[in-house]
Amino acid sequence: MALEMFRKKETLAMRKKLIGQSCRLFYSDDPVKIVRARGQYLYDENGKRYLDCISNVQHVGHCHPSITQAATTQMKLLNANSRFLHDNIVQYADRLAATLPDKLSVFYFVNSGSEANDLALRLAHQYTQHEDVIVLEHAYHGHLTSLIDISPYKFQKLTGQKEWAPIPDTYRGIFREDHPNPAQAYADTVKDVIDKVHQKGRKVSAFFAESLPSVAGQILLPKGYSTKVAEYVRSAGGVFVADEVQTGFGRVGSHFWAFQLQGDDFSPDIVTMGKPMGNGHPLSCVATTAEIAGAFTANGVEYFNTFGGNPVSCAIGLAVLDVIEKEDLRGNSSRVGGHLLDRLTQLQTKHPIIGDVRGVGLFVGLEMVTDKEQRTPATDAAAQVVRRLKEDYICVSTDGPWENIVKFKPPMCFSMEDADLVADRIHHILTVNRPAGSPQTGPLWLSW
Amino acid sequence: MALEMFRKKETLAMRKKLIGQSCRLFYSDDPVKIVRARGQYLYDENGKRYLDCISNVQHVGHCHPSITQAATTQMKLLNANSRFLHDNIVQYADRLAATLPDKLSVFYFVNSGSEANDLALRLAHQYTQHEDVIVLEHAYHGHLTSLIDISPYKFQKLTGQKEWAPIPDTYRGIFREDHPNPAQAYADTVKDVIDKVHQKGRKVSAFFAESLPSVAGQILLPKGYSTKVAEYVRSAGGVFVADEVQTGFGRVGSHFWAFQLQGDDFSPDIVTMGKPMGNGHPLSCVATTAEIAGAFTANGVEYFNTFGGNPVSCAIGLAVLDVIEKEDLRGNSSRVGGHLLDRLTQLQTKHPIIGDVRGVGLFVGLEMVTDKEQRTPATDAAAQVVRRLKEDYICVSTDGPWENIVKFKPPMCFSMEDADLVADRIHHILTVNRPAGSPQTGPLWLSW
């Protein structure tokens, strides 16, 4: 099979003509054409290899042979819908249940994180009979109509919105690392929003948040925050929805789900999962309690998702779970993520433009600032790091409201050598780009 | 690979415990466990073969080797997201464009018909800056929050709704086969709804309808209806959305898209496609005009769909198009669908319980009534036909607001012999089930 059907220039011209321009390309000034991939590496049409630091979807590595094998085997046998009984869907639900708190025992399989989040909203509304949803500042939960409503990241540009609480960011938020108890303080801001909702004569259906807010800037929720928020939300008759679409399936290393970082005493009422679940295959899921599922059934409306939970999707999902275990990818995530965090933290001591380094497992952010005291976002500098790393054949991207956080969420097979390479190259870029003779701190960094 | 991991009883018990009960099983009293399939045949755990008359998703046949091959080949190479340039997405868009009117030249790839319909709503709203959506009575457009709002079929049980126009059903609707111009008469009902919307001081964003309403009972829109409706809707500043999720990709035989049955002078402004598109793989699409896509881009909000348009999905989509052509499945649909329609129409002359037989290609409905004059829906009889056909290892199901229409939308490789078998069995069932000594018409049919 030829790897290219059209020359790159032609592909780009066709893309501009045929695909909605709202669907943006990476490196839009000079997009990359990728024709094959393996593990954590992408290859362009000239055979140039890129180190992939951002494809969290291809969780166990691009084109993992075990995943291809599982898909092929099941595609040859059967891919009917879930209205017929089949073992894969129940086996897969059973395996997922084993990773979750006991109370999260009922599953709905869908095709995307957006579909999962939309269904989570429906479940919460049906169960609580309340309407209002509280989300975090700068949140993004998907591309569907219902989710734009709850995604400040996008909806600030559009009409309509829900309530949102301040992002619990201890580097840049309203309570910082010097606060004696940021978890309590941030949780209290959610309580304030609940009070505001009640003052309007309305009621809270759900608190809806990523377990590690990613678009908001690779944020780690202070430990204890979720437990406290869940307490407030449940007191108001609402439920706690943990969006694990970006963060689940062992990315954080120490735990299978990022919400588990909050401690054993915490369990959400609904968990949504997606991106890494099928290693690229469209596969997502909502897990909830028997009580919430029961309320949804009681409305008498069937929920049928044409492709959701089909035997091929579930076979792929099962294979992903197997590979995570067999290759100890959670262990790898802890080790390599820890090493990457160490290396970037060392760079922070050398390069004042690095304001903060944070992360857990292979979910890491490097926040760039032009001024360490003011923490002024170094948006242009971050964009330049992305561009310069591309010249070194390393793919990273930025996140955060000011796009000043360089993010790392690579396939989970990312290696120590990969971590060293990217840290070395960032050190090099920050060193050579420093204006000659300049001090290491101060406004000269604005020259970026 | 073992075809079964659990015994059927255990699968069923796990299913009840682990999967939301809103996700219903076929034959809920005695569900079928299917472990493999090929072409138009399903095989249960005991090797019993069922003729599949309902899986319109497995369009070119269950487990078609060309589709599996295309998926496997691409899975081994690359399955990155559409932010990288790739030939498959542009080639696939180009191939789809060739099947559509020239003006439908911009594509958005998504993962399900529901995602496609949700995006169509967003496109229509953004382009028209209007809010109201007109749908047909008994319509169903998907399971997402936004789509329940526009699906009378489900939303009648829930809160909230949009405007709907009478279903243009010339057998049971307000204008019937004896009306001199049902197309015009039904189109005028849409005009009435538009007027009603305007009287409320509101504006119409879209008329949204399946090209052949299926849940509403396998309805054929009177020819000329859509052209006239489009004229009214565009005059009101709205757009015409054709939902081809169930009906596209040659199912109607004579044309690639069911909206083309309305004539060459008709083109929708937005077309959504889904179910058959990936032969079971989660793959869907929205096609629209450059103007509408341009308005969507102009809002400045990125549309990113994680899995949409990935190289594997597009490789599968391309393979489906190839098989439709190579195996002349449209020709087969016309021939076999025509034969099935003939056979069922013959049965209609023998069995007064058959009130109407209608269809085009392999989209066929057999409407059962207890009384030919009153056209009283024979809901129980239709359910009994479904159950009895199951005993003969033939899978059909019912549709329509009274679930009295036995529907046929089999894989497109359905054969003359399959059509004969199902017609023969229906004849047999209707013959042996007739109460002894009863006349062929009249209220005794109520004894079903």
Side-chain angles (χ1 to χ4, degrees):
Chain A
M1 186 186 194
L3 294 179
E4 261 196 309
M5 164 152 295
F6 311 112
R7 279 180 306 172
K8 183 174 174 181
K9 199 175 155 185
E10 195 180 346
T11 307
L12 185 57
M14 291 175 75
R15 167 96 184 200
K16 283 186 176 161
K17 179 171 158 275
L18 289 161
I19 306 298
Q21 291 297 299
S22 301
C23 307
R24 295 190 194 145
L25 288 162
F26 273 132
Y27 311 119
S28 52
D29 294 343
D30 181 25
V32 173
K33 183 171 184 178
I34 298 297
V35 297
R36 64 187 179 91
R38 192 79 174 201
Q40 64 275 49
Y41 303 110
L42 302 164
Y43 299 84
D44 73 10
E45 77 282 10
N46 299 315
K48 276 288 182 187
R49 190 182 92 169
Y50 288 75
L51 174 62
D52 182 354
C53 302
I54 46 178
S55 292
N56 55 342
V57 169
Q58 286 71 27
H59 191 62
V60 303
H62 288 276
C63 304
H64 194 294
S66 297
I67 310 303
T68 306
Q69 184 59 54
T72 303
T73 302
Q74 186 58 51
M75 281 190 84
K76 286 180 180 172
L77 276 177
L78 179 73
N79 194 22
N81 70 46
S82 65
R83 280 181 173 143
F84 295 107
L85 278 180
H86 196 272
D87 288 341
N88 287 8
I89 187 172
V90 299
Q91 192 194 355
Y92 189 35
D94 196 48
R95 287 279 297 277
L96 289 172
T99 68
L100 288 161
D102 288 348
K103 75 171 198 175
L104 296 168
S105 62
V106 182
F107 298 82
Y108 300 85
F109 291 100
V110 298
N111 309 298
S112 67
S114 288
E115 283 195 355
N117 283 341
D118 183 87
L119 178 56
L121 282 177
R122 289 187 62 194
L123 290 166
H125 286 315
Q126 196 65 40
Y127 177 68
T128 63
Q129 295 291 316
H130 299 171
E131 289 297 326
D132 283 20
V133 178
I134 300 171
V135 295
L136 292 177
E137 199 181 1
H138 309 303
Y140 175 63
H141 295 292
H143 54 69
L144 297 166
T145 305
S146 61
L147 305 175
I148 293 162
D149 275 351
I150 65 161
S151 296
Y153 161 65
K154 291 203 171 174
F155 79 47
Q156 284 168 344
K157 297 189 186 176
L158 300 169
T159 55
Q161 62 183 65
K162 300 276 171 172
E163 303 291 345
W164 78 84
I167 183 83
D169 174 354
T170 53
Y171 177 71
R172 182 178 291 289
I174 55 174
F175 308 115
R176 299 189 174 179
E177 65 282 353
D178 57 352
H179 190 284
N181 191 351
Q184 181 69 54
Y186 277 116
D188 286 345
T189 66
V190 177
K191 180 76 174 67
D192 293 342
V193 175
I194 295 171
D195 291 343
K196 203 167 81 175
V197 168
H198 287 172
Q199 280 157 21
K200 290 182 191 167
R202 300 181 60 83
K203 288 183 173 172
V204 173
S205 172
F207 173 82
F208 206 114
E210 283 186 281
S211 298
L212 299 170
S214 50
V215 168
Q218 310 289 100
I219 307 296
L220 306 185
L221 301 179
K223 189 164 176 178
Y225 172 78
S226 299
T227 307
K228 203 73 204 165
V229 167
E231 191 186 310
Y232 292 144
V233 170
R234 287 173 191 147
S235 294
V239 298
F240 190 110
V241 184
D243 177 340
E244 290 271 351
V245 170
Q246 298 235 38
T247 54
F249 294 88
R251 174 153 297 277
V252 302
S254 57
H255 298 81
F256 198 85
W257 303 105
F259 74 78
Q260 293 167 327
L261 293 167
Q262 291 282 311
D264 291 340
D265 61 335
F266 172 67
S267 171
D269 303 299
I270 299 175
V271 172
T272 62
M273 38 191 99
K275 292 184 189 288
M277 196 169 180
N279 215 50
H281 183 85
L283 169 58
S284 295
C285 182
V286 181
T288 191
T289 65
E291 291 70 29
I292 293 174
F296 193 59
T297 306
N299 75 9
V301 177
E302 180 182 8
Y303 179 82
F304 177 60
N305 189 303
T306 298
F307 307 124
N310 72 62
V312 172
S313 293
C314 292
I316 290 173
L318 282 162
V320 169
L321 295 181
D322 287 342
V323 174
I324 292 170
E325 281 175 27
K326 278 185 199 155
E327 301 186 2
D328 185 27
L329 293 179
R330 280 175 54 196
N332 191 65
S333 179
S334 289
R335 286 186 297 273
V336 176
H339 181 62
L340 177 62
L341 209 57
D342 286 347
R343 286 294 315 271
L344 298 178
T345 306
Q346 286 161 21
L347 292 187
Q348 190 182 3
T349 63
K350 295 177 189 157
H351 301 284
I353 199 163
I354 303 178
D356 192 32
V357 173
R358 56 183 174 259
V360 54
L362 284 167
F363 180 92
V364 171
L366 179 151
E367 177 149 5
M368 299 183 70
V369 292
T370 53
D371 175 329
K372 279 221 162 186
E373 293 308 309
Q374 297 298 318
R375 303 186 178 183
T376 314
T379 303
D380 291 346
Q384 193 167 333
V385 166
V386 170
R387 278 195 299 274
R388 289 291 307 277
L389 282 173
K390 182 193 172 205
E391 291 167 17
D392 290 333
Y393 301 101
I394 296 171
C395 294
V396 299
S397 65
T398 55
D399 245 333
W402 293 275
E403 295 291 348
N404 68 317
I405 295 135
V406 179
K407 69 179 167 188
F408 303 88
K409 40 183 190 173
M412 298 272 283
C413 52
F414 208 68
S415 71
M416 291 294 196
E417 294 71 25
D418 299 326
D420 282 330
L421 175 66
V422 71
D424 289 346
R425 296 315 303 169
I426 289 174
H427 175 55
H428 177 74
I429 290 167
L430 295 183
T431 305
V432 300
N433 272 50
R434 185 182 307 143
S438 71
Q440 298 228 343
T441 59
L444 265 180
W445 286 101
L446 286 168
S447 69
W448 275 77
Chain B
M1 189 187 193
L3 294 179
E4 260 197 310
M5 165 153 293
F6 311 112
R7 280 181 304 172
K8 183 176 174 182
K9 199 175 154 184
E10 196 180 346
T11 307
L12 185 56
M14 289 174 77
R15 167 97 184 200
K16 284 186 176 162
K17 179 171 157 276
L18 289 161
I19 307 298
Q21 291 297 298
S22 301
C23 308
R24 295 189 194 145
L25 288 162
F26 272 132
Y27 311 120
S28 53
D29 294 344
D30 181 26
V32 173
K33 183 171 185 178
I34 298 297
V35 298
R36 64 188 180 90
R38 190 79 173 200
Q40 63 275 49
Y41 302 111
L42 302 164
Y43 299 85
D44 73 9
E45 76 283 10
N46 299 315
K48 278 288 183 188
R49 190 183 91 170
Y50 288 76
L51 175 62
D52 182 354
C53 302
I54 46 177
S55 293
N56 55 343
V57 169
Q58 285 72 27
H59 192 61
V60 303
H62 289 276
C63 305
H64 194 293
S66 297
I67 310 304
T68 306
Q69 184 58 53
T72 303
T73 302
Q74 186 58 51
M75 283 190 82
K76 285 179 179 170
L77 275 178
L78 179 72
N79 195 22
N81 70 46
S82 66
R83 280 181 173 145
F84 296 106
L85 278 180
H86 196 272
D87 288 341
N88 287 8
I89 187 172
V90 298
Q91 192 195 357
Y92 189 36
D94 196 46
R95 288 278 296 277
L96 290 171
T99 68
L100 288 161
D102 288 348
K103 75 172 199 176
L104 296 170
S105 62
V106 182
F107 298 82
Y108 299 85
F109 291 100
V110 299
N111 309 297
S112 68
S114 288
E115 283 195 353
N117 284 340
D118 183 87
L119 178 57
L121 282 178
R122 290 187 62 194
L123 289 167
H125 287 315
Q126 196 66 38
Y127 176 69
T128 64
Q129 295 291 315
H130 299 169
E131 290 296 325
D132 282 20
V133 179
I134 300 172
V135 295
L136 292 176
E137 201 180 1
H138 309 303
Y140 175 63
H141 296 291
H143 54 69
L144 296 167
T145 305
S146 61
L147 305 175
I148 293 161
D149 275 352
I150 64 161
S151 296
Y153 161 64
K154 290 204 170 174
F155 79 47
Q156 284 167 344
K157 297 189 186 176
L158 300 169
T159 56
Q161 61 183 64
K162 301 277 171 172
E163 303 291 344
W164 78 84
I167 183 86
D169 174 354
T170 54
Y171 177 71
R172 182 178 291 288
I174 55 174
F175 309 115
R176 298 188 175 180
E177 64 284 353
D178 56 352
H179 189 284
N181 191 350
Q184 181 69 54
Y186 277 116
D188 287 344
T189 66
V190 177
K191 179 76 175 67
D192 294 342
V193 175
I194 294 172
D195 292 343
K196 203 166 82 177
V197 168
H198 288 173
Q199 280 156 21
K200 289 182 192 167
R202 301 180 58 84
K203 288 184 174 172
V204 173
S205 171
F207 174 81
F208 206 114
E210 283 187 282
S211 297
L212 300 170
S214 51
V215 168
Q218 309 290 100
I219 307 298
L220 306 185
L221 301 180
K223 189 165 175 177
Y225 173 78
S226 299
T227 306
K228 204 73 204 163
V229 168
E231 191 185 310
Y232 293 143
V233 170
R234 287 173 191 147
S235 294
V239 298
F240 191 110
V241 184
D243 178 339
E244 290 270 351
V245 170
Q246 298 235 37
T247 54
F249 294 89
R251 175 153 297 277
V252 302
S254 58
H255 298 83
F256 199 84
W257 302 103
F259 73 77
Q260 293 168 327
L261 293 166
Q262 291 283 312
D264 291 340
D265 61 335
F266 172 67
S267 171
D269 304 299
I270 299 174
V271 172
T272 61
M273 36 192 100
K275 292 185 188 290
M277 195 168 181
N279 214 49
H281 183 84
L283 169 58
S284 296
C285 182
V286 181
T288 191
T289 65
E291 291 70 29
I292 294 174
F296 193 61
T297 306
N299 76 10
V301 176
E302 181 183 8
Y303 179 81
F304 178 60
N305 189 303
T306 299
F307 307 123
N310 71 63
V312 172
S313 293
C314 292
I316 290 172
L318 282 161
V320 168
L321 295 181
D322 286 341
V323 174
I324 293 171
E325 282 175 27
K326 278 186 198 156
E327 301 186 2
D328 185 26
L329 292 179
R330 281 176 52 196
N332 190 65
S333 178
S334 288
R335 287 186 297 273
V336 176
H339 182 62
L340 178 62
L341 209 58
D342 286 347
R343 287 292 318 269
L344 298 178
T345 305
Q346 287 160 22
L347 293 187
Q348 191 182 4
T349 64
K350 296 177 189 158
H351 301 284
I353 199 164
I354 302 178
D356 192 33
V357 173
R358 56 183 175 260
V360 53
L362 284 168
F363 179 93
V364 171
L366 179 151
E367 177 148 6
M368 299 185 71
V369 293
T370 53
D371 175 330
K372 280 221 162 187
E373 294 308 311
Q374 297 299 317
R375 304 187 176 182
T376 315
T379 302
D380 291 347
Q384 194 169 332
V385 167
V386 170
R387 278 195 300 273
R388 289 290 307 276
L389 283 172
K390 181 193 172 205
E391 291 167 17
D392 290 332
Y393 301 100
I394 296 172
C395 294
V396 299
S397 64
T398 56
D399 245 333
W402 294 275
E403 295 290 347
N404 67 319
I405 295 134
V406 179
K407 69 180 167 188
F408 303 87
K409 40 181 188 172
M412 298 272 282
C413 52
F414 208 68
S415 72
M416 291 294 195
E417 295 71 26
D418 298 327
D420 282 330
L421 175 66
V422 71
D424 289 346
R425 296 316 302 170
I426 289 173
H427 175 54
H428 177 75
I429 290 166
L430 295 182
T431 305
V432 301
N433 273 49
R434 186 183 307 143
S438 71
Q440 296 227 345
T441 57
L444 264 179
W445 286 102
L446 287 168
S447 69
W448 276 76

